[in-house]
Amino acid sequence: MKITFINVRVDVYPQMGICYLSSYLKEHLPGVETCLIELVFGENRERAVRKILATKPDLIGITTYSVGYQEVIELSNLLKSVSPSTPVILGGPHITTLPQTMSDTSDLAVIGEGEQTLLEICRLWQESTAGAASPERAFRSFLDAPALADIKGIAYRAAGQLVCTAPRELIADLDSVPPPDLSILNMRWYTSLKQFLVKKGLYHGFTLLTSRGCPYSCRFCQASALWRKVRYHSAERVVWEIERLRNEYPKINALNIIDDLSIANKPRLKEIVRLMQEKGLHNRFDIGINGHVNVISDELLEILKQINVVQLVFGFESASERILEFLKKGSSTVEKNRRAAEMCHAHGIGVGGLFMVGCIGESEEDMRKTIQFVRETPMTCVNMCVTTPLPGTELWELCKEKGLVSDAMDWNKLDFGNVNNPDLLYINESCIPYSRFKELLQEGQDACRIWNPPQSIIGNLCYLYVLPLDEFFRRAVKKLKGMPRHLLLKITSRIG
């Protein structure tokens, strides 16, 4: 059998979850074939459907994020109009937190961790469709199979009603999941020269995932809703994966470890460092890691320096003590944020800063504190987005009570990474009028540009691997137009 996975928005970082699903199926289901189709935002949907169906899939799996879920619905509708007997299975954060939003043209949803669940779905497909006289009969045999109700962690429709089965237990031993299947990725794109972690440089970079879950429970983050607890790959497994990347893709010179917080377990981290030094991997890559101000210490930073960590990214979020307390539930303070940045600089490690503005109850004074923090704190890269409630979070439930979001909303409104989205959801109108917020947001974006260098022309050539030629040139022209303003802001900030 063949499964075609779909990612509706290709990014510089690969969908590692799909790679794990592929490797798990290949290990436990002899003869299974997998492939991944990654679509560019705005790509012609009819062309995309032709590309997907040309792989001749038995099952189609689509990753869902709330950002972009509208595209998933549209794609599923189009797929079903062309190939109604090919089952469409949804998975990922959005459908896990809101299974009731499964579109009418999707047949199944995987809720939560997907490896074991998808394996059981595939086995049921093989058993229930064996000897079927036609694709239509195979499709009905599969969806009508009584054993469907015995698969934990799925949602499906029976007699027109949505059914959610019992929750799936989390995989206790992460090392039992085989390493991610990189063969399904467009590795020319993912390892191409581009701005990857420290934005002042170009890298042949790649992504590593060494744990699942986060020990914190911020009001805006989906991680705790998705994973429920933290689990780690062993140090030996992590270093084996790094060694594999070095051997199979020797041009890779940077790694971005995208775990929510991989450095909280200090004994494990020390063992990773020891093994990397033993294998000569400690100076092979520039490494970027996500951090949290609560775990930063001189000892930890010295440990990270031993494996050439050049950037730590922090969710600073706000420089208003009141707003930060609300967003992060007391797990950090403005002073801790400032101190963490200073300590990183003292050890020669770059600081990546993530901020959000427009939170419920945020005043103009609160927002100005954040903008000033960005201006005054040297960073290697910085991003400011609009505070957006995501399903499964406390912030979502609060906004739902206020009537700001619903299960039937336009999901394009949650595109928080695109501050220029004219339909972007704004949840703080009662404190700062939207017109004034946009002016302040522009100030914040200008403050970010002080630290973020202009786009590199050479670094953007890699997009030729994923974009049609006309779209590549359209985006290139747009970026070139923004360069003069970016340079002017950097010059004036230094003069000031």
Side-chain angles (χ1 to χ4, degrees):
M1 67 179 301
K2 186 166 189 178
I3 303 166
T4 297
F5 294 107
I6 303 169
N7 173 24
V8 298
R9 285 196 183 188
V10 66
D11 194 3
V12 295
Y13 305 123
Q15 287 286 346
M16 299 304 291
I18 294 177
C19 296
Y20 280 106
L21 291 174
S22 178
S23 64
Y24 195 85
L25 292 178
K26 287 179 177 178
E27 180 171 280
H28 294 280
L29 201 63
V32 70
E33 295 180 54
T34 63
C35 71
L36 171 61
I37 302 293
E38 298 197 274
L39 305 177
V40 177
F41 177 61
E43 184 171 344
N44 179 277
R45 287 292 173 253
E46 287 75 14
R47 182 172 62 188
V49 166
R50 288 196 296 272
K51 190 190 304 184
I52 293 163
L53 295 180
T55 65
K56 301 187 182 308
D58 293 298
L59 302 174
I60 294 174
I62 309 179
T63 298
T64 67
Y65 291 89
S66 299
V67 178
Y69 187 56
Q70 208 71 36
E71 297 168 59
V72 171
I73 294 173
E74 293 168 7
L75 183 63
S76 178
N77 292 344
L78 195 53
L79 280 166
K80 280 296 185 178
S81 70
V82 177
S83 184
S85 298
T86 304
V88 172
I89 304 169
L90 305 183
H94 178 85
I95 210 66
T96 290
T97 52
L98 290 181
Q100 65 270 27
T101 64
M102 186 173 74
S103 64
D104 293 338
T105 52
S106 302
D107 301 298
L108 288 176
V110 173
I111 301 172
E113 199 164 52
E115 284 88 354
Q116 294 174 320
T117 304
L118 186 57
L119 175 63
E120 291 182 22
I121 290 171
C122 290
R123 283 174 173 163
L124 179 61
W125 167 264
Q126 289 182 325
E127 294 167 5
S128 60
T129 63
S134 67
E136 292 77 15
R137 286 185 177 273
F139 178 72
R140 288 288 12 130
S141 297
F142 171 61
L143 290 184
D144 293 339
L148 202 60
D150 298 327
I151 298 177
K152 292 182 178 180
I154 66 170
Y156 64 99
R157 289 186 184 83
Q161 299 297 313
L162 186 71
V163 176
C164 293
T165 62
R168 167 79 56 180
E169 300 84 1
L170 295 175
I171 297 171
D173 177 15
L174 273 193
D175 281 2
S176 67
V177 180
D181 179 10
L182 305 185
S183 70
I184 64 174
L185 296 176
N186 177 1
M187 291 300 283
R188 290 183 67 192
W189 155 249
Y190 286 113
T191 63
S192 60
L193 193 68
K194 63 171 80 74
Q195 290 174 329
F196 185 70
L197 30 101
V198 178
K199 292 195 174 182
K200 65 183 179 183
L202 300 178
Y203 289 94
H204 293 285
F206 197 68
T207 298
L208 201 65
L209 184 64
T210 77
S211 66
R212 298 181 185 183
C214 180
Y216 296 94
S217 55
C218 300
R219 281 193 168 90
F220 57 87
C221 183
Q222 284 182 319
S224 57
L226 292 173
W227 299 119
R228 304 197 296 278
K229 64 179 181 178
V230 184
R231 291 158 297 151
Y232 296 96
H233 281 297
S234 66
E236 292 78 11
R237 164 65 177 266
V238 172
V239 176
W240 182 90
E241 287 199 39
I242 294 173
E243 191 171 30
R244 175 179 75 151
L245 289 173
R246 180 193 63 180
N247 294 336
E248 295 182 10
Y249 304 96
K251 71 178 180 180
I252 292 176
N253 59 5
L255 294 176
N256 192 15
I257 300 176
I258 60 171
D259 309 37
D260 291 296
L261 189 60
S262 66
I263 58 177
N265 186 329
K266 194 179 293 184
R268 171 180 175 267
L269 177 62
K270 288 181 177 179
E271 182 64 7
I272 289 172
V273 171
R274 186 188 71 79
L275 290 171
M276 288 182 69
Q277 290 174 329
E278 185 180 283
K279 294 178 178 293
L281 298 169
H282 59 292
N283 57 5
R284 174 67 177 78
F285 309 94
D286 281 1
I287 297 177
I289 295 179
N290 292 325
H292 192 287
V293 296
N294 276 357
V295 303
I296 297 303
S297 65
D298 289 316
E299 179 192 7
L300 180 73
L301 294 173
E302 281 304 309
I303 293 171
L304 295 177
K305 287 284 286 185
Q306 293 177 48
I307 55 172
N308 208 31
V309 171
V310 298
Q311 177 174 272
L312 277 169
V313 176
F314 297 97
F316 291 138
E317 313 309 352
S318 176
S320 162
E321 208 69 69
R322 185 173 63 87
I323 297 302
L324 191 60
E325 165 72 27
F326 171 77
L327 289 171
K328 306 202 79 167
K329 299 167 71 171
S331 69
S332 65
T333 65
V334 177
E335 181 53 37
K336 283 184 179 181
N337 287 349
R338 186 173 286 109
R339 179 65 180 145
E342 291 171 352
M343 291 176 70
C344 286
H345 287 305
H347 287 267
I349 295 177
V351 174
L354 304 177
F355 298 85
M356 59 175 66
V357 290
C359 177
I360 287 177
E362 185 176 41
S363 67
E364 182 166 333
E365 181 184 0
D366 293 323
M367 196 166 169
R368 286 206 171 278
K369 287 179 181 178
T370 300
I371 295 170
Q372 192 61 27
F373 185 97
V374 173
R375 288 192 180 119
E376 295 174 349
T377 307
M379 288 177 270
T380 45
C381 67
V382 58
N383 178 265
M384 182 179 290
C385 70
V386 178
T387 303
T388 303
L390 296 177
T393 67
E394 289 184 36
L395 185 59
W396 171 269
E397 292 304 322
L398 178 61
C399 290
K400 193 171 184 179
E401 290 173 8
K402 292 178 176 292
L404 297 171
V405 297
S406 74
D407 295 351
M409 68 181 295
D410 177 359
W411 303 108
N412 288 326
K413 292 180 178 292
L414 302 186
D415 191 6
F416 60 89
N418 178 14
V419 296
N420 298 314
N421 179 359
D423 298 320
L424 189 63
L425 179 66
Y426 177 55
I427 61 175
N428 194 41
E429 183 73 44
S430 61
C431 291
I432 306 176
Y434 185 61
S435 57
R436 179 58 181 153
F437 172 73
K438 290 289 286 185
E439 294 173 355
L440 293 168
L441 179 61
Q442 184 61 62
E443 287 186 38
Q445 294 295 307
D446 288 346
C448 294
R449 290 188 182 95
I450 294 171
W451 306 114
N452 290 335
Q455 291 282 339
S456 163
I457 295 174
I458 294 175
N460 276 283
L461 291 177
C462 61
Y463 285 89
L464 285 168
Y465 289 125
V466 292
L467 291 174
L469 201 57
D470 57 342
E471 180 66 9
F472 171 81
F473 282 114
R474 186 187 72 79
R475 298 188 186 198
V477 169
K478 183 178 179 180
K479 288 177 180 178
L480 285 169
K481 286 180 178 178
M483 285 185 179
R485 176 180 174 82
H486 199 148
L487 289 169
L488 180 61
L489 286 167
K490 294 185 77 67
I491 293 170
T492 54
S493 68
R494 288 173 181 170
I495 293 174

